[in-house]
Amino acid sequence: MSGGEEQRAEFGTVATWTAEVVGELGDEYAIVAGCRGSGDPGLLEWLARSCGVGPGVSLVDVGAGVGGASAWAAEKYGVRPVLVEPMEDACRAERRIFGRTPICATGDRLPFGEGAFDVAWCIGVLCTVHDKLALLRELRRVLRPGGSVGLLVLVAEPGLHSELPRGNEFPSLDELGDLLGQTGLSIRELREAPGGGEPAEWRQKAEHVDELLAKAHGDDPRWLEAEEQSSRLAHLLTSRQLTRRLVHAVKS
Ligand SMILES: C[S@@+](CC[C@H](N)C(=O)[O-])C[C@H]1O[C@@H](n2cnc3c(N)ncnc32)[C@H](O)[C@@H]1O
């Protein structure tokens, strides 16, 4: 299984628990809980606008997690995304939270024909994958000519020295540019993701979800492991050893 054993707690077990919490709190918590991985409205808005997401546009969300970003795009932009996610627990959680059936597959072997989509999203996934070129090549293959890729990538800054979350390999900005160039994806825009600008209601809901997860599973070693991963990541981001980059690139 890609994503690695060490990420099973973070992307699998916690996904199952997240679905349980949404069941308890109600559907109005679904998108916020589903975006717990990496998405927030500011960066999703940027990705949707840059990639021209809208009704009638075909979108594949690769490494969709429990599907929060896709559900946000469906609600806000009237698109009907296809979701791909390798972690079976996350796929089950997605079905439970949003009633959608994701395709359980890794991004380096997508079960679609060439040129099947107008837009491919890959949000917070590239840094969890070793063979980044294989993933990017597949994203490009399933896009129609001129189609858009929207990425959120955590990029290693030159002073990176602290301990990394297990199973992650963060590219430098130069490496990211090289990877996209080798893939035949032309960068239209690459910018730092806005930080901490989510609306108060979104933040409060996210905090509520976290509180319930900690209350129900705070003593579980898998929760502690996932929390350890999150706090390493948070430290790397606040100390700017890592930065969050948004990319809009086009199949040339
Ligand atoms: C940080 S989470 C982001 C989830 C979601 N995109 C979001 O923004 O909430 C990374 C996701 O990538 C998935 N993943 C790991 N390896 C993958 C691969 N080879 N192909 C596709 N997805 C992968 C993980 O299972 C996990 O759901």
Side-chain angles (χ1 to χ4, degrees):
M1 155 101 46
S2 185
E5 284 306 313
E6 59 275 84
Q7 293 177 337
R8 190 176 296 281
E10 191 182 4
F11 300 140
T13 309
V14 175
T16 305
W17 294 342
T18 302
E20 287 164 8
V21 164
V22 173
E24 215 173 299
L25 290 172
D27 287 348
E28 68 272 26
Y29 281 79
I31 291 180
V32 174
C35 285
R36 228 182 137 263
S38 38
D40 65 53
L43 75 84
L44 293 175
E45 192 78 54
W46 187 88
L47 286 174
R49 286 192 186 181
S50 306
C51 298
V53 167
V57 169
S58 53
L59 166 68
V60 62
D61 183 5
V62 176
V66 299
S70 279
W72 178 92
E75 187 177 287
K76 204 86 208 282
Y77 281 85
V79 73
R80 298 181 64 186
V82 173
L83 289 84
V84 177
E85 165 59 43
M87 205 64 85
E88 279 172 19
D89 282 346
C91 291
R92 270 192 292 274
E94 203 170 297
R95 257 194 303 275
R96 203 166 146 189
I97 299 175
F98 297 110
R100 274 201 222 93
T101 304
I103 293 164
C104 205
T106 55
D108 54 351
R109 292 186 66 186
L110 293 172
F112 310 114
E114 204 170 320
F117 295 96
D118 300 312
V119 177
W121 276 3
C122 199
I123 302 176
V125 181
L126 210 60
C127 9
T128 70
V129 168
H130 175 64
D131 192 348
K132 298 178 193 342
L133 204 51
L135 174 58
L136 289 170
R137 284 193 170 129
E138 267 302 81
L139 295 180
R140 183 183 186 278
R141 184 186 66 79
V142 301
L143 278 181
R144 65 163 168 78
S148 285
V149 172
L151 306 173
L152 170 69
V153 185
L154 302 188
V155 161
E157 295 299 325
L160 175 65
H161 63 273
S162 298
E163 197 167 3
L164 300 181
R166 283 180 294 279
N168 285 266
E169 294 174 31
F170 303 102
S172 68
L173 203 50
D174 285 349
E175 283 164 351
L176 178 59
D178 285 349
L179 283 164
L180 290 163
Q182 282 180 57
T183 313
L185 289 165
S186 308
I187 299 175
R188 286 289 156 84
E189 204 177 340
L190 194 163
R191 56 173 281 184
E192 194 163 341
E198 66 271 31
E201 192 194 349
W202 180 285
R203 201 172 46 253
Q204 282 154 11
K205 282 185 176 164
E207 284 167 6
H208 202 170
V209 170
D210 279 351
E211 276 162 24
L212 284 203
L213 283 169
K215 196 168 148 206
H217 305 286
D219 295 333
D220 191 309
R222 292 166 299 177
W223 171 257
L224 297 172
E225 190 186 324
E227 280 297 274
E228 166 75 18
Q229 294 276 85
S230 305
S231 67
R232 279 187 197 174
L233 202 54
H235 169 68
L236 288 161
L237 287 166
T238 50
S239 58
R240 291 191 62 79
Q241 297 179 62
L242 290 180
T243 50
R244 301 190 316 158
R245 306 288 174 147
L246 289 170
V247 181
H248 171 219
V250 169
K251 177 172 178 172
S252 40

